[in-house]
Amino acid sequence: MGTYIVETQAVQEENTIVNHESKHETKEELDAGALFVLQSKVAPTLLSLPYALKFLGWAGGIICLIAGAVVTFYSYNLLSMVLEHHAQLGRRHLRFRDMAHDILGPRWGRYVVGPVQFVVCYGAVVGSCLLGGQCIKAIYLLFNSNGTMKLYEFIIIFGGLMLILAQMPSFHSLRHINLISLLLCLGYSAATTVGSIYIGHTSKGPEKDYSLVGNSEDQLFGVFNAITIIATTLGNGIIPEIQATLAPPVKGKMFKGLSVCYSVISMTLFSVTVSGYWAFGNQAEGQILSNFVVNGNPLLPKWFIFMTNAFVILQISAVGVIYLQPTNEVLEGVLADPKSGQFSLRNVIPRVISRSLSVAIATIISAMLPFFGDIN
C-alpha cells in the first residue's frame, strides 16, 4: 500500500524517470538495473496473524502487534530521513546497498546488506507463490470437494500468473497494479473480518479456546514463530527502492506516505487479527481463510469464500511482483546494457529470460515446501 502512495506522488509530478541521481552523476554512469528496474504495500501475510496469536495469547499478541507497528514505523521514517539527508548532499541512494556503501563501507553493501535484502525479498516471492496456490486450491475444493489435484499443481498455475506480471519492466509501470492491489487488500481484509465475526456468532465454528497449547518447549518455539510472523507482516525490505521512485525534492514525502499507509495498516491488521483469533482461538490455521471450510463443508456462502480468495490471489500476485524487483535489478545490472534502449532486443530478451527463470525457481521452491505457516 505504501508503494502505491509514493508512486502516485511521483506520477503526479510528471516525472517518468526520476532516478537521475545527483547533479554529479549522468544517465550513462548508472548501471542498467538501477536505470530500468528502479524507474519510477500490506501483504496477505496478515492472514497469518490470528495464527500468531494462538502462540502469544490476547495480551502478548496485541502488545507485539503494537510494538511491531511502532518500531517499524519509526525505523522506516528514520531510514527515509537518512535518504533525504544524503539526497540533499548530492548523493541520492537508490538501494539499500548504496546506503551501506556510503555509510558503512563498500564491503557491507556488496557482501552483507545486498545479499540479505536479496534473500528476504526473494523469500517473499516464494511465500507469495505458496499462498497464491493455496487460495486457488481453496476455490477448487469449494466447488469440487472430492478433487484430486495437488497443491503443487495450483502453485504452478499461480506461478504462470506471476510469470506474466513479472515482465512489467519497472516500478513505474506497476503503479496501476499497485492501486488495484491496495483496493483488493482492503476488500479481502473486510471480507475476512466479516466472515470471522459471522462464524464466531454462530454455532458453526469451533468452541472458543484461547489457552496456549503444547508443552513449555512447544510454547517457546511458538512464541518465536509468532514474533517472526508479525515481523514478516510489518517488514518491508525495499524502502530505499520505493523512495527512489519519488521525484526530487523528496523531503517529507515518505513521511506522508508512511502515515497514510500505517493508518490503513492499523485498520486492516487489527481487524483481521482480533476477529480471526476471537472466532477460532487456538484452532486458527496458518492461513485464516482455511478456517472458513471444515472437512470440505463451507461455514460461509460459497460465493463469499470464492470472492475473498479471489481478492487474495490477485493482490498477492501484485505483492510478489513488487518483491521481485530487487532480484530483477540485480540480474539486469549484470545482463542488460544501459547504453541500449530499455525496450531494445538487446535488453528485452535477457529481461524476459532472467525474470522467467526467477519466477520459475520461486515456484519450484514453494511447491517443494507447502507449509505456509512454517514458511512465514
Side-chain angles (χ1 to χ4, degrees):
M1 290 188 288
T3 307
Y4 177 73
I5 292 166
V6 295
E7 275 283 3
T8 301
Q9 293 171 334
V11 174
Q12 287 173 340
E13 298 188 14
E14 299 180 354
N15 196 341
T16 304
I17 302 178
V18 297
N19 294 325
H20 291 307
E21 295 285 55
S22 70
K23 60 185 178 182
H24 304 295
E25 294 179 306
T26 65
K27 182 176 179 179
E28 286 72 30
E29 291 173 322
L30 288 173
D31 62 87
L35 178 62
F36 297 147
V37 179
L38 297 184
Q39 179 185 338
S40 220
K41 63 226 136 58
V42 176
T45 45
L46 71 88
L47 297 177
S48 288
L49 288 176
Y51 174 76
L53 256 66
K54 71 182 286 186
F55 300 112
L56 297 171
W58 277 116
I62 298 300
I63 290 173
C64 286
L65 267 180
I66 294 174
V70 171
V71 168
T72 54
F73 181 89
Y74 174 77
S75 299
Y76 299 156
N77 186 50
L78 185 63
L79 185 59
S80 67
M81 290 171 63
V82 172
L83 291 167
E84 290 175 0
H85 173 72
H86 282 269
Q88 292 172 347
L89 295 178
R91 169 63 174 165
R92 190 172 185 186
H93 296 125
L94 302 183
R95 296 158 294 204
F96 259 123
R97 65 177 182 271
D98 294 339
M99 293 185 65
H101 182 280
D102 278 9
I103 299 171
L104 301 175
R107 292 182 180 273
W108 278 88
R110 175 169 295 183
Y111 300 112
V112 180
V113 176
V116 167
Q117 184 197 30
F118 181 89
V119 170
V120 170
C121 291
Y122 197 71
V125 178
V126 173
S128 297
C129 292
L130 181 52
L131 177 56
Q134 285 186 326
C135 290
I136 297 175
K137 182 181 179 180
I139 293 176
Y140 170 74
L141 294 177
L142 189 65
F143 296 100
N144 185 9
S145 58
N146 297 320
T148 58
M149 290 183 67
K150 305 298 183 182
L151 177 60
Y152 72 86
E153 296 177 89
F154 297 103
I155 292 175
I156 293 173
I157 293 172
F158 182 83
L161 173 61
M162 282 274 294
L163 188 65
I164 297 173
L165 294 177
Q167 306 310 321
M168 295 285 186
S170 67
F171 267 126
H172 179 74
S173 59
L174 291 170
R175 65 193 184 281
H176 301 303
I177 292 178
N178 286 332
L179 171 59
I180 297 172
S181 173
L182 168 62
L183 298 177
L184 289 170
C185 180
L186 295 173
Y188 75 69
S189 297
T192 302
T193 301
V194 170
S196 297
I197 293 174
Y198 173 80
I199 294 173
H201 274 296
T202 65
S203 58
K204 297 180 179 180
E207 183 178 350
K208 295 181 179 65
D209 183 359
Y210 305 114
S211 62
L212 302 180
V213 297
N215 56 36
S216 58
E217 184 178 281
D218 293 334
Q219 291 179 10
L220 177 61
F221 280 103
V223 169
F224 289 136
N225 192 13
I227 292 175
T228 304
I229 291 174
I230 292 173
T232 302
T233 305
L234 291 166
N236 188 323
I238 52 176
I239 289 293
E241 287 83 352
I242 291 174
Q243 183 150 315
T245 66
L246 287 172
V250 299
K251 185 173 179 59
K253 294 178 182 177
M254 278 298 290
F255 179 78
K256 294 178 182 178
L258 284 170
S259 298
V260 176
C261 180
Y262 267 76
S263 298
V264 180
I265 283 175
S266 300
M267 178 177 61
T268 55
L269 259 65
F270 282 94
S271 62
V272 171
T273 304
V274 172
S275 63
Y277 185 60
W278 170 78
F280 304 106
N282 57 24
Q283 300 299 311
E285 299 285 348
Q287 204 259 77
I288 196 62
L289 297 184
S290 300
N291 286 104
F292 289 3
V293 180
V294 178
N295 297 324
N297 299 316
L299 305 182
L300 295 164
K302 288 186 177 181
W303 67 266
F304 188 89
I305 299 177
F306 171 83
M307 176 188 70
T308 305
N309 279 282
F311 284 172
V312 175
I313 291 168
L314 295 174
Q315 203 262 349
I316 194 62
S317 63
V319 170
V321 172
I322 289 295
Y323 280 97
L324 190 63
Q325 297 306 305
T327 302
N328 296 337
E329 189 271 325
V330 170
L331 292 174
E332 291 183 32
V334 175
L335 300 175
D337 180 7
K339 295 181 181 180
S340 300
Q342 184 176 15
F343 298 101
S344 64
L345 286 178
R346 168 63 182 82
N347 287 324
V348 168
I349 293 176
R351 178 166 67 237
V352 171
I353 294 175
S354 62
R355 295 188 180 195
S356 298
L357 286 175
S358 296
V359 173
I361 293 171
T363 302
I364 291 172
I365 294 174
S366 60
M368 294 170 60
L369 302 170
F371 307 103
F372 183 68
D374 295 332
I375 289 294
N376 266 341

